[in-house]
Amino acid sequence: MSGIAILAIAIVALGAGYIFYGKWLAKKWGVNNSIKTPAIEINDGIDYVPTKKQVVFGHQFASIAGAGPINGPIQAAVFGWLPVMLWCIIGGIFFGAVQDFSSMFASVRNKGRSIGIIIENYVGKTGKRLFLLFVYFFSILVVAAFSDIVAKSFGVSEAFTETVNHANSQVACTSTLFIVAAVALGFWIKAKQPGTALNTAVSIIMLIICVALGCLFPFSLSVNTWMYLVFIYILIASVVPVWALLQPRDYLNSYLLIFMIAAAVVGIFVSNPKMELPAFTGFTSSIGSMFPILFVTIACGAVSGFHSLVSSETASKQVEKESDMLPISYGAMLVESLLGIIALVAVGAVAVNGVIPAGTPQVIFSQAVSGFLAGIGIPADISFTLISLAVSAFALTSLDSVARVGRLSFQELFLDKEDEDTSNLPEWKKILTNRWVATIIVLIPSFALAKVGYQEIWALFGSANQLLSVLALAAVAVYLKKANKSNKMMFFPMFFMLAVTVVALIQLIISNIVTFGKSATVSAFGQSMQIILAALLVALAIIVVIACCRKLFGKDDEKAKA
């Protein structure tokens, strides 16, 4: 099948999913603009900040996309293009987008509180603490995997080609300029409150200037040096007010990311690449059996538990009115699924005799899309740098978001609903809930695990990510029941993903135990970390799911705020 046909089917299916299923969910749950959102009601100027729909969409999309929808489908393409295509579409519409939308809806209706607090409200304090502990461990995994990806997309290495090293140097400079520009943009927006048109024009001009300067004045640092710099950056970025860096940086990056997707779509329609991969290769492959490996590998391209954290921890605190939730959450997830399809077409176009070429998924994607863009007159070297920049922007925007989520979850672990006034807390609690201390406690183990390399922990990340989606779906299902709203659409995604992830994590534990100390690529420390984290995640998740199911299928003993 041609790339155009696959892309066209995906666009039509995902668009229909938004129009029919997404809007049906909004109607079913009673989305209502007459209800004040937490951003309006609380508005503390730090986390709760009423923000225009397009800015929050930019934050949501840039945060959730990461490198997942590019890495996952390319790695899963060993099963053939058809299973990947089907899961990106079906999973995106009925699993991922439902989780993202419902998590944001439940959070907005609960004062912008996280999924952990929602579990506390409707399941109990023990369930909440176990969930937050799960999120803490999961955040360590995400920061470790994505920091390694970012460092390798910024740094130079003897293992990389000259072309990749040059592009990385340009990307590093441009991304650094983005951060400076984002801070300036954030302070300007806060001080002047410009209109949408002026805001957009200034943002695009700043984006163009940063890209031009980054390409003209690249600077080279080693991958190892960038690893240290990335961790210093996310330490700062995850504690400053959202308007000072998180919002404007994501807003700037969203234009770059949307440009990349739009350019790739145009490039595919112009070049009409042929899929050089078979439609289906079988139920087993070099990376394992289709169940469960296909689903945990594709991860963010179809469903990602991390999205529920962004939806409920950050974006829900910025939504101006309830009707904005559908495009911000459900819509952003479908765009991410579309990106997964583009990554699939990209790897299919550069495959040779049905074999995926060597190289990291980011390099494969950048080379393929730059080839598409050559068909519309954009030089391959320029487009390769721009696409590499966009891919690194995906990963970087996820990094500080998940570090912030990990920090908030760790803080909430020691706080109860009644602890609104933290000045009365015991001294040890004040120390652990300090935002700088909490962030450092997330970053130290993340840095240690990042040394293992994202390739070796991707399966664990994917499994934990999908398992987190199970917990989010279960928690929201309980909330919807208490609020007398339909929750039947949550059941199949919840139990299907539970089966997928528990099987995947058990397989991973057994594999690491069998090969412990024998792997040529993973250290004994790395294997130990994976075994411990996988076992903890399985245990915590099963306990939380059981607690949620007791509330879900037990007697309706209390009601939630509708």
Side-chain angles (χ1 to χ4, degrees), residues 359-418:
T360 65
Q362 298 97 301
V363 171
I364 293 171
F365 180 81
S366 299
Q367 289 175 337
V369 175
S370 63
F372 300 158
L373 297 181
I376 56 177
I378 300 177
D381 56 340
I382 294 176
S383 59
F384 181 82
T385 297
L386 289 174
I387 300 304
S388 298
L389 172 63
V391 173
S392 69
F394 274 126
L396 189 60
T397 50
S398 292
L399 258 180
D400 53 20
S401 291
V402 78
R404 183 179 288 263
V405 165
R407 183 258 293 177
L408 290 169
S409 298
F410 188 83
Q411 289 174 300
E412 288 180 7
L413 191 59
F414 301 97
L415 299 174
D416 295 316
K417 287 184 295 183
E418 56 269 21

Side-chain angles (χ1 to χ4, degrees), residues 491-543:
F491 291 168
F492 182 74
M494 178 176 70
F495 289 115
F496 179 79
M497 294 314 301
L498 179 63
V500 165
T501 51
V502 169
V503 171
L505 284 168
I506 291 174
Q507 286 181 351
L508 189 146
I509 292 170
I510 293 172
S511 173
N512 275 282
I513 290 174
V514 170
T515 62
F516 187 79
K518 303 175 183 177
S519 174
T521 58
V522 190
S523 65
F525 168 78
Q527 286 186 299
S528 300
M529 288 278 287
Q530 292 192 65
I531 292 169
I532 292 169
L533 283 173
L536 284 170
L537 292 171
V538 170
L540 290 170
I542 289 175
I543 295 171

Side-chain angles (χ1 to χ4, degrees), residues 404-484:
R404 183 179 288 263
V405 165
R407 183 258 293 177
L408 290 169
S409 298
F410 188 83
Q411 289 174 300
E412 288 180 7
L413 191 59
F414 301 97
L415 299 174
D416 295 316
K417 287 184 295 183
E418 56 269 21
D419 293 327
E420 297 284 346
D421 183 9
T422 57
S423 62
N424 296 322
L425 292 175
E427 197 61 33
W428 68 272
K429 276 193 176 185
K430 287 182 181 179
I431 293 172
L432 289 177
T433 56
N434 176 277
R435 68 179 188 272
W436 289 96
V437 173
T439 304
I440 290 171
I441 291 173
V442 173
L443 297 187
I444 288 176
S446 300
F447 184 82
L449 191 58
K451 293 295 184 179
V452 176
Y454 83 90
Q455 299 98 327
E456 303 302 335
I457 60 176
W458 191 263
L460 178 56
F461 155 72
S463 301
N465 191 22
Q466 310 301 71
L467 191 51
L468 180 56
S469 73
V470 175
L471 305 187
L473 289 166
V476 174
V478 173
Y479 160 73
L480 291 172
K481 176 189 176 183
K482 303 294 184 181
N484 289 322

Side-chain angles (χ1 to χ4, degrees), residues 69-82:
I70 293 172
N71 276 20
I74 289 177
Q75 293 184 62
V78 293
F79 290 105
W81 60 261
L82 184 59

Side-chain angles (χ1 to χ4, degrees), residues 77-78 80-81 274-280 344 347-349 351-352 354-356:
V78 293
W81 60 261
K274 182 182 177 183
M275 294 296 289
E276 300 294 343
L277 289 172
F280 180 62
L344 173 65
V347 69
V352 179
V355 178
I356 298 172

